[in-house]
């Protein structure tokens, strides 16, 4: 079973919860993981099991990046906030970079997340 990582910056968390709730049926067919608070919010809202890693600023982005390099994560849905400075910005950039290196689909907006979820829901 493939694994999807769910990540959202603070100002994007509600968008992630809304998106995950809308796509609950498709997401239920995958292993889910995410950074700390995002994982909990999505799990609470949808009832889906979401393995929680550390929060992003405490190393969660790095944990997910490591799992990508170990081929344990297949898709990343990362609602980041491009207008807000992040204290862990180097970790965010490293995560985006490692996803590109390993050719992992990564959605950074609701529209791209919808494209990915539509694509995998047809399989």
């Amino acid at each position: 079973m493939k694994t999807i990582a769910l990540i959202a910056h603070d100002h994007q968390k509600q968008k992630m919860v809304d998106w995950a709730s809308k796509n609950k049926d498709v997401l239920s067919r995958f292993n889910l993981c995410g950074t700390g608070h995002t994982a909990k919010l999505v799990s609470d809202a949808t009832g889906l099991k979401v393995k929680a890693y550390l929060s992003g600023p405490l190393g969660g982005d790095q944990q997910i990046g490591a799992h990508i390099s170990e081929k344990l994560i297949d898709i990343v849905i990362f609602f980041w906030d491009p207008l807000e400075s992040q204290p862990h910005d180097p970790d965010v950039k490293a995560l985006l970079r490692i996803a590109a290196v390993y050719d992992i689909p990564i959605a950074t907006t609701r529209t791209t997340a919808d494209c990915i979820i539509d694509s995998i829901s047809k399989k």
Side-chain angles (χ1 to χ4, degrees):
M1 183 181 294
K2 292 189 181 278
T3 299
I4 299 175
L6 305 172
I7 309 164
H9 285 156
D10 288 343
H11 292 104
Q12 302 292 321
K13 290 191 189 309
Q14 188 57 52
K15 288 181 185 176
M16 175 63 77
V17 167
D18 295 344
W19 180 85
S21 296
K22 176 186 167 219
N23 293 289
K24 177 182 173 180
D25 291 340
V26 175
L27 292 174
S28 70
R29 301 190 326 229
F30 295 86
N31 292 320
L32 302 175
C33 65
T35 51
H37 195 218
T38 301
K40 180 175 177 7
L41 290 171
V42 169
S43 182
D44 289 350
T46 63
L48 297 171
K49 182 180 175 189
V50 184
K51 178 180 172 74
Y53 293 107
L54 296 171
S55 71
L58 297 178
D61 295 332
Q62 291 180 342
Q63 286 178 302
I64 289 175
H67 288 306
I68 289 170
S69 68
E70 295 167 345
K71 300 186 185 333
L72 299 175
I73 292 177
D74 304 288
I75 297 167
V76 177
I77 308 296
F78 183 5
F79 291 176
W80 68 298
D81 189 344
L83 301 177
E84 185 77 24
S85 176
Q86 301 296 324
H88 61 297
D89 192 59
D91 297 341
V92 171
K93 297 294 190 283
L95 176 60
L96 296 171
R97 187 177 308 108
I98 202 75
V101 166
Y102 284 90
D103 197 25
I104 297 297
I106 184 164
T108 58
T109 66
R110 186 177 185 126
T111 301
T112 55
D114 287 343
C115 288
I116 289 173
I117 208 78
D118 288 347
S119 172
I120 62 177
S121 69
K122 296 174 184 171
K123 292 182 178 180

